[in-house]
Amino acid sequence: MRLQRSVCAVALSAGLAMPAQADLLGIKGGVDLFSMSTDGKSNELDPGWSDKERLSAYVALEHFIPILPNLMVRYNDLGSSGDGTELDLSNADFIFYWQLLDNDGIELDLGVNYRQYDGALREGWENVELDKGVVMGYARSRINLVSSGLFVFADVALTNYNSKQISDYQVGLGYGLDLSLFDLNIKGGYREHDFDVRHFKGISADVTQNGWFVGAEVQF
């Protein structure tokens, strides 16, 4: 999809530009594998969804200017299929956030997420393109168990207005390694994406996509 290629281009450009700005900027990026189950209805139909494994990938740029937000770009592959139905809720997040806390014990980010859905609903011969954006609140927290390398984390984006109740959150446990060139975080946990909308670009649905995920993150 055009959106997926654009997000990848942004991430690659950021990574290439990073070495020259290492003293002023920080960068982190990661990939998660999401073992996803789907429940619920689309346009009042329950097609008996199949389980899927999907990927999410992200890159974030963080700087030293407190008044300006940091930026994370994240792509989420969230396609589901059932009997005669395909519901693709894939999207890109453009997250603008501020680091309210950032120390050895606890991290806390708050901000705004603009989520651009770029999928479709296909039922039989009918195909409805889902190309619409929503504004969501965003929060992330991480508690480091000092001197152990272990940490717990939570990440949530949500909105609830104009017949749109959409949330996407994950919670889990990770282990961090301080390597010579970068920090490596291995993590895993539970993720849930709730998509409850009415007449959202011609689509009405009440669908939950949830399951376990594992991932890796590098930080410079």
Side-chain angles (χ1 to χ4, degrees):
M1 294 182 182
R2 292 191 299 272
L3 177 60
Q4 184 176 6
R5 291 195 295 268
S6 299
V7 171
C8 290
V10 171
L12 179 60
S13 299
L16 292 175
M18 193 58 224
Q21 303 295 330
D23 56 335
L24 300 178
L25 299 175
I27 185 171
K28 62 182 178 181
V31 176
D32 296 335
L33 176 63
F34 183 23
S35 181
M36 185 179 74
S37 298
T38 303
D39 296 296
K41 297 181 179 181
S42 62
N43 290 342
E44 303 305 323
L45 298 177
D46 185 352
W49 307 101
S50 301
D51 295 346
K52 299 288 184 181
E53 280 71 44
R54 299 299 189 189
L55 290 175
S56 291
Y58 59 92
V59 62
L61 294 173
E62 298 180 343
H63 55 76
F64 66 98
I65 307 174
I67 196 172
L68 296 179
N70 302 291
L71 173 63
M72 177 187 293
V73 180
R74 178 171 62 186
Y75 181 78
N76 304 291
D77 182 3
L78 295 176
S80 298
S81 61
D83 297 333
T85 300
E86 293 185 14
L87 178 62
D88 187 357
L89 298 179
S90 297
N91 59 76
D93 290 324
F94 300 89
I95 302 169
F96 301 88
Y97 65 96
W98 288 265
Q99 294 179 300
L100 301 187
L101 294 172
D102 185 14
N103 56 58
D104 291 340
I106 186 169
E107 302 172 15
L108 176 64
D109 301 339
L110 292 178
V112 176
N113 178 15
Y114 178 77
R115 169 166 289 190
Q116 178 66 43
Y117 282 93
D118 184 34
L121 173 62
R122 303 177 183 88
E123 295 176 326
W125 296 101
E126 184 179 3
N127 183 32
V128 180
E129 295 294 328
L130 178 56
D131 181 12
K132 189 171 183 177
V134 295
V135 178
M136 313 173 75
Y138 174 78
R140 184 192 75 92
S141 64
R142 169 171 160 167
I143 299 175
N144 300 305
L145 307 180
V146 180
S147 301
S148 70
L150 295 172
F151 60 89
V152 293
F153 64 92
D155 183 298
V156 60
L158 58 86
T159 187
N160 185 354
Y161 70 96
N162 291 343
S163 301
K164 293 186 289 291
Q165 299 179 35
I166 302 172
S167 64
D168 193 347
Y169 74 88
Q170 53 183 278
V171 294
L173 178 69
Y175 182 76
L177 295 169
D178 294 328
L179 303 180
S180 58
L181 296 179
F182 54 84
D183 295 338
L184 173 64
N185 296 317
I186 306 298
K187 57 183 181 174
Y190 175 82
R191 181 176 182 180
E192 181 169 305
H193 174 226
D194 293 312
F195 187 77
D196 185 0
V197 300
R198 298 294 179 270
H199 310 296
F200 186 77
K201 197 73 174 185
I203 293 174
S204 294
D206 185 0
V207 172
T208 297
Q209 299 169 310
N210 56 13
W212 300 99
F213 74 92
V214 293
E217 176 185 273
V218 294
Q219 185 171 0
F220 298 91

